[in-house]
């Protein structure tokens, strides 16, 4: 029995179809991210799952129980879901312990105190039980919001952009803490984010959405290395884009030929190459330039990686330039010639004109 299932869910706001026949199943203990650009329908899908948005079409099941659909619409408070939003919505006049206890009013006092203590210990905030929200940092407030959502022991946790109000450095630490809390508690989690790096960090599986539909569902590695189309490939970061035609099952690029399996001879295609797929090495003075050489236009240290702007020596002046991303410090001077080796596992071929592509 799955922890959460959305079956053929559609939802419209007037003439705008926000969610279009979406089906998604989460297994127990799994963290799944709904990922996509703004307006793709991911938050609407989450709100339908929670009961904050009434179901218009389809079904929502939690542990096999229909909570929406078939003439039934159970309110959020009886669905046994935990909710954490961008705005943590802590009550400023209540202590941290009282904030966490807010959803436990039906429990006996002793059990309520025990649940609060367990939830605060789980998020590493037991020492702050008597504090008030204004005394805590943004990251600490986020942990309290998570503790409050976990305290009722929900069957499913729903997170809507929970880290978006934190600065970049704090966000990394808090999402790391959150992931380990969710895994330790074994809580099934559906999380919404527009940040692909965050989704890859948090998720066992990612459902990438576009215009109300799931475009691809799979593990982070599956979406990154086996994208089903150009949208998926380009959503996970910067990409070098070229165009060409299929000849003898391959398409030529300035960095070597790339296999074009499944395309008819002569098909017009788009080749997408990740910057880290271009492996650079210097050409020693006095040696002839190898095939697929490039000239450096600029190089910038980006922290953990270096970004190198390149001009292909096989293309005419004025042709689009390319980016390579190299681990660590790699800052060759302008105009230096470099050899390029292409990692074909990170080069993807898609139809430029789908009507002309074979396969």
């Amino acid at each position: 029995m799955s922890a959460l299932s959305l079956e053929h869910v559609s939802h419209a706001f007037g003439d705008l179809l926000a969610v279009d026949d979406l089906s998604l199943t989460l297994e127990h203990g799994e963290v799944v991210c709904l990922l996509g650009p703004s307006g793709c329908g991911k938050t609407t899908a989450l709100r339908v799952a929670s009961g904050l948005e009434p179901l218009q079409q389809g079904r929502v099941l939690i542990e096999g129980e229909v909570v929406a659909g078939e003439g039934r619409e159970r309110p959020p408070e009886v669905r046994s879901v935990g909710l954490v939003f961008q705005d943590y919505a802590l009550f400023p006049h209540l202590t941290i312990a009282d904030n966490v206890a807010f959803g436990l009013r039906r429990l006996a006092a002793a059990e309520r105190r025990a649940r609060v203590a367990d939830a605060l210990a789980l998020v590493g905030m037991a020492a702050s039980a008597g504090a008030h929200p204004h005394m805590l940092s943004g990251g600490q407030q986020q942990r309290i919001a998570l503790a409050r959502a976990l305290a009722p022991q929900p069957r499913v946790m729903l997170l809507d952009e929970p880290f978006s109000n934190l600065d970049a450095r704090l966000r990394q630490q808090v999402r790391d803490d959150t992931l380990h809390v969710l895994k330790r508690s074994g809580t099934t989690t559906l999380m919404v984010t527009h940040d692909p790096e965050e989704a890859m960090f948090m998720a066992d599986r990612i459902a990438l959405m576009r215009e109300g539909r799931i475009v691809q569902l799979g593990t982070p590695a599956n979406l990154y290395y086996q994208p089903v189309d150009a949208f998926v490939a380009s959503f996970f970061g910067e990409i070098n884009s070229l165009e060409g035609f299929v000849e003898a099952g391959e398409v030529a690029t300035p960095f070597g030929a790339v296999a074009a399996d499944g395309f008819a001879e002569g098909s017009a295609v788009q080749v997408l190459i990740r910057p880290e797929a271009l492996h650079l090495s210097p050409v020693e003075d006095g040696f002839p330039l190898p095939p697929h050489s490039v000239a450096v236009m600029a190089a910038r240290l980006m922290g953990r990686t270096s970004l190198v702007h390149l001009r292909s020596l096989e293309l005419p002046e004025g042709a689009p330039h390319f980016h390579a991303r190299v681990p660590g410090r790699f800052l060759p001077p302008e105009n230096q010639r470099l050899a390029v080796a292409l990692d074909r596992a990170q080069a993807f071929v898609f139809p430029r004109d789908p009507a002309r592509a074979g396969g």
Side-chain angles (χ1 to χ4, degrees):
M1 185 184 300
S2 299
L4 172 66
S5 295
L6 306 179
E7 297 181 353
H8 302 290
V9 170
S10 293
H11 195 91
F13 298 99
D15 295 331
L16 174 65
L17 185 59
V19 178
D20 184 7
D21 194 29
L22 183 146
S23 292
L24 178 65
T25 297
L26 279 68
E27 303 304 329
H28 288 275
E30 189 177 29
V31 178
V32 174
C33 281
L34 285 175
L35 173 67
S38 297
C40 71
K42 55 189 185 295
T43 292
T44 300
L46 188 87
R47 289 176 62 84
V48 169
S50 71
L52 294 175
E53 200 70 53
L55 180 74
Q56 295 178 354
Q57 183 176 319
R59 294 200 310 172
V60 178
L61 295 88
I62 296 179
E63 294 187 343
E65 176 193 358
V66 177
V67 297
E70 301 177 352
R72 181 181 304 178
E73 184 76 48
R74 300 194 70 181
E77 61 271 17
V78 297
R79 292 193 184 191
S80 187
V81 294
L83 300 169
V84 179
F85 299 102
Q86 298 177 36
D87 181 356
Y88 310 136
L90 301 177
F91 298 107
H93 61 290
L94 297 181
T95 66
I96 295 309
D98 288 339
N99 266 280
V100 175
F102 187 77
L104 306 175
R105 287 170 292 182
R106 296 182 180 180
L107 299 181
E111 185 177 358
R112 185 164 61 247
R113 287 193 297 270
R115 289 275 194 97
V116 170
D118 289 345
L120 288 175
L122 189 63
V123 300
M125 293 295 293
S128 299
H132 285 78
H134 73 274
M135 302 167 65
L136 305 181
S137 68
Q140 291 172 322
Q141 291 185 35
Q142 196 275 348
R143 293 183 193 180
I144 299 306
L146 181 62
R148 182 177 60 186
L150 286 168
Q153 299 176 349
R155 295 185 289 182
V156 177
M157 181 71 72
L158 303 175
L159 310 179
D160 187 8
E161 303 274 9
F163 315 119
S164 60
N165 287 338
L166 304 175
D167 62 61
R169 185 175 178 181
L170 182 58
R171 185 162 58 244
Q172 293 177 7
Q173 181 61 54
V174 173
R175 72 186 182 193
D176 183 71
D177 294 340
T178 300
L179 174 63
H180 293 291
V181 166
L182 293 172
K183 285 300 184 181
R184 282 199 303 271
S185 65
T187 305
T188 305
T189 304
L190 181 62
M191 174 178 149
V192 162
T193 180
H194 66 276
D195 183 342
E197 180 179 305
E198 185 165 278
M200 296 180 79
F201 183 93
M202 293 291 296
D204 299 307
R205 290 188 299 148
I206 296 172
L208 180 59
M209 294 184 64
R210 183 184 191 186
E211 296 178 350
R213 287 181 169 268
I214 294 177
V215 179
Q216 187 170 353
L217 172 65
T219 66
N222 176 247
L223 270 68
Y224 195 81
Y225 288 107
Q226 297 175 304
V228 297
D229 61 21
F231 170 76
V232 178
S234 60
F235 196 84
F236 286 90
E238 182 188 5
I239 206 148
N240 296 302
S241 179
L242 307 96
E243 295 183 347
F245 295 90
V246 175
E247 296 183 15
E250 296 181 329
V251 55
T253 81
F255 315 113
V258 176
D261 298 334
F263 288 87
E265 185 75 5
S267 294
V269 294
Q270 180 183 24
V271 183
L272 303 182
I273 299 174
R274 299 199 187 282
E276 57 267 34
L278 301 179
H279 298 172
L280 307 177
S281 57
V283 179
E284 294 187 24
D285 292 340
F287 284 79
L289 288 174
H292 319 308
S293 298
V294 294
V296 176
M297 301 175 69
R300 300 289 184 267
L301 182 65
M302 307 299 290
R304 292 171 294 176
T305 63
S306 297
L307 185 66
V308 186
H309 301 246
L310 304 169
R311 176 175 61 84
S312 171
L313 298 180
E314 296 183 6
L315 298 178
E317 288 282 349
H321 74 282
F322 304 97
H323 289 168
R325 193 172 289 274
V326 182
R329 187 178 187 272
F330 182 76
L331 302 173
E334 292 183 24
N335 297 316
Q336 180 173 338
R337 269 44 175 173
L338 301 172
V340 179
L342 175 64
D343 176 5
R344 287 169 173 78
Q346 298 192 68
F348 314 108
V349 181
F350 299 111
R352 193 188 334 163
D353 178 359
R356 291 177 56 191

